[in-house]
Amino acid sequence: MPSVTTTFTTFAEEDRAGSIGGVDTEDWNDPGNAQSNDAARAAWSTSVFPPWNGYTVYLTAKQLTDLVPGGAVIEGVRATIVKRKSASGSGTWQDSAVFLIVGGTVQTGTNKATTTAYTTSDAGETYGDPTDKWGLALSAADVNGAGFGVALSCGIAGAGFGDTDVPQINAVTVEVFYSLPTGAKGDLMLTGSGD
């Protein structure tokens, strides 16, 4: 199966309505740190004091380059996100929302968030599969268009006073599966990482 690998070009944050503390009180420090394979990480922070209960703004990973042949039929998307929390605490960090981004806009088709608790060690988790389009009618133009990517919002419950642990993102990888007009299958891997 053919494949092409590319690195996400844009890492940023985007507001999510109802996030912890409201607009402008929390953010992802250095979201671009999730792009390079080094010790730097994208880490969430907030000016709201614990106990925290709720979810973060989105961390977004996007690319701006053609990925699949024109006219290809998108069969599915599989994402992998490597994540952890910065320290032990009484609260439980886990995904709140994992969505695809198309045309620069977070698409709330199917929320791929899982209930897996974050640990203090890096752990990768996969979302979707070769036949899963995340509740969207994806086309080659969507995948090749500006602003295709993944958005992640992390959630916490049960955090007590004195908890200071925050989520950190090390890597985001997306594999796009497609068929060609001849019926031949291919795949494409997009990566963004910060070890």
Side-chain angles (χ1 to χ4, degrees):
M1 193 180 306
S3 65
V4 179
T5 302
T6 186
T7 301
F8 285 112
T9 57
T10 305
F11 286 79
E13 64 182 12
E14 183 175 323
D15 185 47
R16 183 182 177 202
S19 56
I20 297 170
V23 179
D24 297 328
T25 60
E26 72 286 322
D27 62 352
W28 285 94
N29 289 334
D30 301 314
N33 284 348
Q35 183 177 29
S36 300
N37 188 14
D38 56 29
R41 291 175 169 85
W44 181 76
S45 68
T46 182
S47 61
V48 177
F49 292 101
W52 297 322
N53 287 282
Y55 48 84
T56 72
V57 296
Y58 289 118
L59 175 67
T60 62
K62 305 174 195 171
Q63 59 75 38
L64 302 172
T65 187
D66 286 352
L67 305 175
V68 300
V73 176
I74 305 304
E75 302 288 354
V77 177
R78 179 169 57 205
T80 302
I81 301 175
V82 179
K83 57 209 175 182
R84 71 176 192 178
K85 63 178 183 176
S86 60
S88 296
S90 60
T92 300
W93 280 105
Q94 60 190 38
D95 301 339
S96 176
V98 180
F99 292 117
L100 290 182
I101 304 168
V102 177
T105 301
V106 177
Q107 303 294 310
T108 55
T110 301
N111 187 351
K112 293 296 181 179
T114 73
T115 57
T116 304
Y118 295 10
T119 67
T120 55
S121 299
D122 292 337
E125 188 156 18
T126 59
Y127 309 82
D129 60 48
T131 61
D132 185 349
K133 291 184 273 192
W134 300 46
L136 305 174
L138 294 171
S139 68
D142 292 329
V143 173
N144 290 338
F148 177 76
V150 175
L152 166 70
S153 173
C154 306
I156 189 170
F161 287 101
D163 281 351
T164 59
D165 57 308
V166 296
Q168 298 179 331
I169 305 304
N170 283 7
V172 181
T173 303
V174 173
E175 190 170 9
V176 177
F177 296 86
Y178 63 94
S179 60
L180 300 173
T182 60
K185 295 277 186 174
D187 70 352
L188 166 71
M189 182 80 69
L190 314 177
T191 63
S193 63
D195 185 23

